Amino acid sequence: MTGEVARNPMDKTLQQLVDLAANGSVEQRCAALLVLAALKAQNSEVIKAVSATLDHVNPVLKDYALRYLEEVSTKSCVPLLLRFLDDPDKETQERVIQLLSSVGQPAIDPLLKHAAHGSRLWQLNAARIFSAVGGKAATKGLLQLLTTGSDEFNKAVCDFMTPAIRGMDSKQQESLYNEVEAFAMRLDGKQQRPALVSALRLIGQLGFPRARRSLFKFIGPENHPTLRSHALVALLHCLRQQDLRKDEHAKLFALLEEAEFSEITRLVLEILDAHELPEDARPLLSRLMQSPHGEIQKFALRKMGAFNTPATVRTL
């Protein structure tokens, strides 16, 4: 039932129910909300009564107001629910997240408008809704949250996005990749490192081979170790079943000659181990056989042995 209350018997009954929901005893208000939900009544007077009930200190009344909204899901409920995303009661938070997610796209713009001023808990729960609903506007909201987030906060947001990414079709993943890559290229690696790490993590999850060009920009020693390691992890995903190019071999081999054996070294070895090396890599492998690091020596021996040529035999 929509529109304002008119003067007929049914509408008179509805008005009585609204009056009870707004002004009756606790038991009367709860019962009235149940009946209003069953009737799917959602005119402005009903919504006003539900809003007042949501704000009541009595948790039983709040529960019945949420039951009404769970039964009569409508975009008009969105403004009523935003403030409960960081409610002290965990169950209330969860119910509001489900309600706003079920509303879909109409919930996204109001969330975007409030995101910058919400608490960290509010923002995390907004990220869950953005991830569940999807679409360009929701992606904008997620990237907006990642821009100012801490390492821990951003990791949680990326974790929310993981199942959503798996559920996307190829066109949706393509769209998300374009958004995330453009986002990554706009970031300052020194001032906005947590956001850039998150972008690299998402690029790796999407696994598009063409991301290699962007990712190789972050593996050099001029970058922070966290950026380097996340770029290399992303490359592991993006280079699966792809041949390494000559310039890519050179960049990766150079990292194996760094003085310290680090997580960077381990990831480079993992990438190179998964790919065949060209014949002209033998001089580089010969040099790596003299490395002070045992794992690099073993790698070089393993790859040299794969060539199985007279020159290789002499080298070994």
Side-chain angles (χ1 to χ4, degrees), residues 16-306:
Q16 291 172 337
L17 286 168
V18 172
D19 290 342
L20 278 176
N23 304 306
S25 66
V26 171
E27 292 78 6
Q28 289 172 328
R29 295 176 78 175
C30 293
L33 286 167
L34 284 176
V35 177
L36 289 169
L39 292 172
K40 305 292 186 186
Q42 46 182 298
N43 64 47
S44 61
E45 292 185 43
V46 174
I47 298 300
K48 183 178 178 181
V50 172
S51 178
T53 309
L54 278 171
D55 286 332
H56 202 282
V57 294
N58 189 322
V60 174
L61 285 173
K62 183 187 287 187
D63 171 51
Y64 275 83
L66 288 171
R67 289 192 196 189
Y68 166 86
L69 292 171
E70 287 163 347
E71 192 66 30
V72 188
S73 181
T74 169
K75 64 182 181 181
S76 63
C77 76
V78 173
L80 309 181
L81 294 172
L82 293 178
R83 63 185 179 276
F84 295 106
L85 281 175
D86 55 1
D87 191 87
D89 180 57
K90 178 67 174 173
E91 183 181 349
T92 297
Q93 290 178 40
E94 292 298 321
R95 292 171 72 178
V96 169
I97 290 166
Q98 292 304 314
L99 276 165
L100 290 173
S101 298
S102 68
V103 170
Q105 292 298 331
I108 299 302
D109 190 53
L111 285 166
L112 280 169
K113 289 177 179 175
H114 288 78
H117 307 292
S119 67
R120 275 302 190 214
L121 176 58
W122 193 99
Q123 291 176 338
L124 277 175
N125 286 333
R128 291 176 61 184
I129 299 165
F130 288 143
S131 298
V133 174
K136 282 188 172 293
T139 298
K140 177 183 176 182
L142 288 163
L143 298 181
Q144 177 181 314
L145 292 174
L146 290 174
T147 302
T148 58
S150 63
D151 290 323
E152 184 178 358
F153 175 88
N154 284 10
K155 183 180 184 305
V157 172
C158 289
D159 288 343
F160 295 148
M161 295 178 70
T162 299
I165 289 172
R166 290 173 183 160
M168 291 177 180
D169 60 33
S170 58
K171 186 176 180 180
Q172 291 169 324
Q173 289 189 349
E174 180 96 19
S175 176
L176 177 60
Y177 170 77
N178 290 335
E179 295 281 344
V180 173
E181 185 188 41
F183 171 70
M185 294 302 106
R186 294 194 300 268
L187 296 171
D188 183 320
K190 293 181 180 178
Q191 302 297 322
Q192 299 168 299
R193 190 167 63 242
L196 186 50
V197 165
S198 300
L200 295 175
R201 183 181 284 126
L202 293 173
I203 288 171
Q205 287 184 30
L206 289 161
F208 283 98
R210 71 174 183 274
R212 64 206 295 166
R213 184 174 179 180
S214 298
L215 293 172
F216 268 98
K217 295 177 182 177
F218 298 106
I219 68 170
E222 69 278 8
N223 295 289
H224 190 278
T226 305
L227 291 177
R228 299 177 73 193
S229 61
H230 278 86
L232 287 164
V233 170
L235 281 169
L236 276 168
H237 295 285
C238 296
L239 292 174
R240 283 176 182 163
Q241 299 179 333
Q242 301 290 314
D243 291 332
L244 281 172
R245 299 164 184 164
K246 187 172 182 179
D247 62 315
E248 294 171 342
H249 280 122
K251 290 174 182 176
L252 291 169
F253 270 112
L255 301 186
L256 294 181
E257 300 194 71
E258 292 182 0
E260 180 185 357
F261 189 96
S262 63
E263 177 68 4
I264 308 298
T265 318
R266 186 191 67 77
L267 289 167
V268 171
L269 290 175
E270 191 173 346
I271 293 172
L272 289 171
D273 251 336
H275 293 83
E276 290 186 10
L277 300 183
E279 284 282 339
D280 59 9
R282 282 191 289 117
L284 290 170
L285 291 171
S286 295
R287 189 161 70 247
L288 290 178
M289 288 170 65
Q290 310 304 316
S291 169
H293 306 297
E295 290 302 313
I296 294 178
Q297 292 177 17
K298 291 175 186 176
F299 160 78
L301 282 167
R302 198 162 54 246
K303 287 296 187 180
M304 283 289 276

